[in-house]
Amino acid sequence: MTSSQPAYPSRDLLRRGPPHPGDKEARKYEKWCRVSQIVGMQGPNGEFEFVVKGPFTIPMGIRRQGVSLGESNKAWQFFTHPYHVFQADGGFFNMDTRPGVLAATLVGRTPAGIILVDEVGTAFKERVPSDFCGALGSMRYRLFGCNPHEATDFYTRAFIAVDLMLLRVFRIMTLLLKTRNPRLLFQELDSLLRNRTVFTFFGEDFSVSELKAIRKGALESAADAQGPRSSVSRGRGDAPERDQPFALEQSDFARPEQLRDGNGRQLVVLLKKKHDDFENQHREMIDAINNRRTEIETQAQALHVRIEREKSRREKAKGLGRLMSGRGINLDATQNEYDALLRELEELNRKYEALPGYLEVREDSKRFQHLEEIKNNVERLATNVFDYNVGLKTIKEMEELLFKIQKTQGQERSRNLSRYSMHLRAEIAPRIMNVFGISAYVLRRPESLVGMKSGGNMGRVNRMAEKLSQYFSKVNYGKKKTLGQVFDEGWGQVRMLEARL
């Protein structure tokens, strides 16, 4: 498919650009793609950033003269794009396609330059993702993750710094689901989102109004830190934020009267109607059973008190070594009377359960209780998803390792890098999957989570978890699999099944 000698696109081809979408004949002889490139750099204040350059619409290859398309390994001559056009270490991701402009599948890195192809029958292994997050994760693995001990100092520091910033944003967003006083969190979040890599990674998950709310909260928090003289914070103190756009609202979870069956009918109304019809149909018998049940329960309670009092009196007398006074009750006879009342109560319950229609009412009640339990579990999981996320202690330990990695050399540096990788494998990857799984489950219970605001906030956390699973997809997860493989084999299969249904 590719020859040992590099082939470069002609100036005329580059100047002319891709074929017109309606020109089907030209599309048979040319392959073009539209990609953007990610480039690592250090900002003016020393911060590490990965910025996007492009998009670039470039030719991938042309069809060789006189070769049939059936000979796929010979039909196309793919172009080499020299490194003065594209940064040598940079990663690629596809932009939107159209007829005549395809998605690149693989990228090859040769001594002469970059080769982009749309076929899989090559020796190239590096895939071209469809978004920034996947491309940055692929770039991370190639330049740092696959062998951190051999990575350059720049990419080691840059990718660890980005790792930690992304994890801090992720942690904050799950904490915001439950907090009512978020201004300190807004200050940290605003600072993190000012990094161009972090904003490109997560920025699309925030609306303009939400970004403004974060910025406003950050300014108010900074003003509060200046003391009581600040005009912005005067009189506010630590008062909770009235409008917390990222919190879950209790009212967004279904109340009992909102629970519905598969046909959209309110279960509580349906259950009440069936119960009323059942009681009206058997009114005399139910009243007789209930009246006798009340009498039995009253008598049984009195006997139970007498039995327990007599047992206590006898135990005390025995402990003191005294003779029984003879004033006590006949314990055996009283116990027999108590047991007879319990048997009669059980018989009344059986009579009640034997009434026509009772089983249907009972099953509907159980169904309603089951749905209410599910709703309560969904609300509890959504509210406490932060507890399953990456902890601040872990992030700080990883930040300390970054500092040590920067200051050490040789075997000590290698040990610190191994410790960092261990944190990713043992703590970060499982926590990301935990949050994704919980949020995915909550979002798949629309009968429980009925409010748009809370649903949107939970959906944002779910998308962030998926982006992080793409970014850390090559991190080992378990003994023989990576995080990406576990995600694809688990939730990837779930999505395929849902698409079919």
Side-chain angles (χ1 to χ4, degrees):
M1 182 176 292
T2 58
S3 63
S4 58
Q5 295 297 321
Y8 302 101
S10 66
R11 290 185 178 181
D12 290 340
L13 182 64
L14 293 171
R15 188 182 304 111
R16 175 163 48 85
H20 190 274
D23 191 349
K24 295 183 180 180
E25 191 64 24
R27 285 158 45 192
K28 294 179 181 179
Y29 293 91
E30 298 176 13
K31 287 185 176 182
W32 291 70
C33 66
R34 189 166 181 261
V35 295
S36 290
Q37 189 181 39
I38 305 174
V39 176
M41 59 183 297
Q42 201 159 358
N45 298 320
E47 71 277 11
F48 293 101
E49 295 182 325
F50 291 90
V51 299
V52 177
K53 293 189 175 182
F56 307 97
T57 303
I58 57 175
M60 287 189 288
I62 57 173
R63 182 177 167 184
R64 289 190 174 100
Q65 295 294 328
V67 181
S68 169
L69 287 176
E71 302 177 84
S72 59
N73 61 330
K74 301 178 181 179
W76 293 93
Q77 172 68 63
F78 286 96
F79 295 127
T80 297
H81 303 278
Y83 289 121
H84 69 264
V85 177
F86 294 114
Q87 203 261 1
D89 291 336
F92 293 92
F93 62 97
N94 285 300
M95 304 299 290
D96 294 338
T97 61
R98 64 169 177 79
V101 179
L102 310 173
T105 305
L106 298 168
V107 56
R109 299 176 185 274
T110 70
I114 298 292
I115 301 177
L116 291 162
V117 301
D118 71 325
E119 300 180 18
V120 294
T122 72
F124 305 149
K125 301 298 182 182
E126 183 183 342
R127 301 194 68 85
V128 181
S130 59
D131 56 32
F132 173 83
C133 303
L136 187 62
S138 177
M139 190 175 173
R140 180 190 187 280
Y141 177 72
R142 174 169 50 87
L143 297 173
F144 169 64
C146 67
N147 191 350
H149 306 288
E150 298 295 330
T152 66
D153 183 65
F154 172 81
Y155 285 118
T156 298
R157 295 168 63 189
F159 279 113
I160 292 180
V162 169
D163 292 352
L164 296 171
M165 286 189 290
L166 295 178
L167 291 173
R168 277 189 172 273
V169 172
F170 188 47
R171 175 186 171 276
I172 288 171
M173 294 313 301
T174 54
L175 180 54
L176 284 173
L177 292 175
K178 62 190 301 183
T179 184
R180 292 292 167 181
N181 191 9
R183 280 182 290 165
L184 283 175
L185 294 176
F186 282 169
Q187 189 174 13
E188 182 181 359
L189 184 60
D190 180 67
S191 175
L192 290 165
L193 290 174
R194 288 178 179 276
N195 181 277
R196 285 189 289 179
T197 308
V198 175
F199 188 81
T200 306
F201 200 97
F202 285 136
E204 65 182 6
D205 296 311
F206 298 91
S207 67
V208 174
S209 61
E210 288 169 342
L211 291 172
K212 288 182 178 179
I214 293 170
R215 184 58 181 157
K216 178 183 177 184
L219 291 173
E220 290 176 348
S221 179
D224 288 345
Q226 295 175 5
R229 294 184 180 181
S230 170
S231 60
V232 178
S233 62
R234 186 181 296 120
R236 295 179 61 93
D238 293 327
E241 192 80 12
R242 289 187 177 182
D243 182 20
Q244 212 279 64
F246 305 105
L248 297 177
E249 300 291 346
Q250 189 176 11
S251 59
D252 284 343
F253 292 89
R255 296 181 295 277
E257 63 271 16
Q258 292 177 299
L259 294 175
R260 298 178 181 274
D261 65 5
N263 296 321
R265 297 174 297 182
Q266 283 186 312
L267 286 176
V268 67
V269 174
L270 185 64
L271 179 62
K272 186 176 185 307
K273 183 178 184 305
K274 286 187 175 182
H275 188 268
D276 290 345
D277 291 344
F278 169 76
E279 288 199 335
N280 290 334
Q281 183 180 359
H282 307 287
R283 175 59 59 189
E284 292 184 5
M285 177 63 73
I286 291 176
D287 287 346
I289 291 174
N290 287 338
N291 290 337
R292 180 54 186 158
R293 182 185 286 155
T294 301
E295 293 174 358
I296 290 174
E297 289 174 349
T298 302
Q299 295 174 22
Q301 177 63 25
L303 288 174
H304 179 71
V305 171
R306 292 175 63 191
I307 290 170
E308 292 301 316
R309 186 182 296 127
E310 179 63 15
K311 287 181 178 179
S312 177
R313 189 187 70 81
R314 294 189 181 190
E315 188 65 26
K316 289 179 180 179
K318 179 181 178 182
L320 295 173
R322 299 173 182 172
L323 295 176
M324 300 299 296
S325 66
R327 300 177 186 174
I329 64 172
N330 187 330
L331 189 58
D332 292 338
T334 306
Q335 184 67 50
N336 290 337
E337 184 181 357
Y338 177 74
D339 292 341
L341 289 174
L342 294 183
R343 287 193 296 271
E344 185 179 355
L345 186 60
E346 291 177 358
E347 182 61 28
L348 288 173
N349 290 335
R350 283 193 290 270
K351 286 183 179 180
Y352 188 89
E353 293 171 0
L355 294 173
Y358 169 78
L359 290 178
E360 183 178 356
V361 172
R362 186 184 67 179
E363 289 305 312
D364 285 342
S365 298
K366 287 182 177 180
R367 185 182 176 195
F368 178 80
Q369 291 171 357
H370 177 65
L371 288 174
E372 192 166 18
E373 288 174 1
I374 291 176
K375 188 273 296 184
N376 292 336
N377 288 336
V378 168
E379 184 176 357
R380 182 167 55 253
L381 281 172
T383 305
N384 297 324
V385 68
F386 167 75
D387 299 331
Y388 299 90
N389 198 1
V390 179
L392 183 59
K393 179 182 177 182
T394 299
I395 293 177
K396 287 185 175 180
E397 289 174 355
M398 295 169 72
E399 289 173 340
E400 290 176 3
L401 284 174
L402 173 58
F403 177 78
K404 292 178 181 179
I405 290 167
Q406 293 172 341
K407 300 297 182 182
T408 55
Q409 298 293 331
Q411 292 184 352
E412 182 63 24
R413 185 175 187 272
S414 295
R415 282 194 290 269
N416 289 326
L417 284 168
S418 297
R419 293 187 187 106
Y420 185 84
S421 298
M422 183 273 292
H423 275 295
L424 289 176
R425 180 179 66 255
E427 299 178 57
I428 302 304
R431 296 276 180 167
I432 291 172
M433 285 298 293
N434 283 344
V435 175
F436 182 87
I438 292 171
S439 57
Y441 171 76
V442 170
L443 292 171
R444 283 165 173 77
R445 306 302 310 200
E447 77 285 356
S448 300
L449 181 56
V450 298
M452 295 293 291
K453 177 183 176 182
S454 297
N457 289 335
M458 186 56 61
R460 177 185 9 254
V461 168
N462 183 256
R463 292 191 301 273
M464 286 182 164
E466 182 169 4
K467 287 181 176 180
L468 287 172
S469 72
Q470 291 177 325
Y471 177 69
F472 291 115
S473 64
K474 298 296 185 180
V475 170
N476 289 334
Y477 189 82
K479 294 183 178 179
K480 298 182 179 179
K481 294 182 180 179
T482 65
L483 176 59
Q485 290 172 330
V486 172
F487 186 94
D488 291 340
E489 293 174 5
W491 284 101
Q493 295 297 317
V494 170
R495 286 176 169 172
M496 289 178 61
L497 179 61
E498 289 176 338
R500 292 175 183 173
L501 296 176

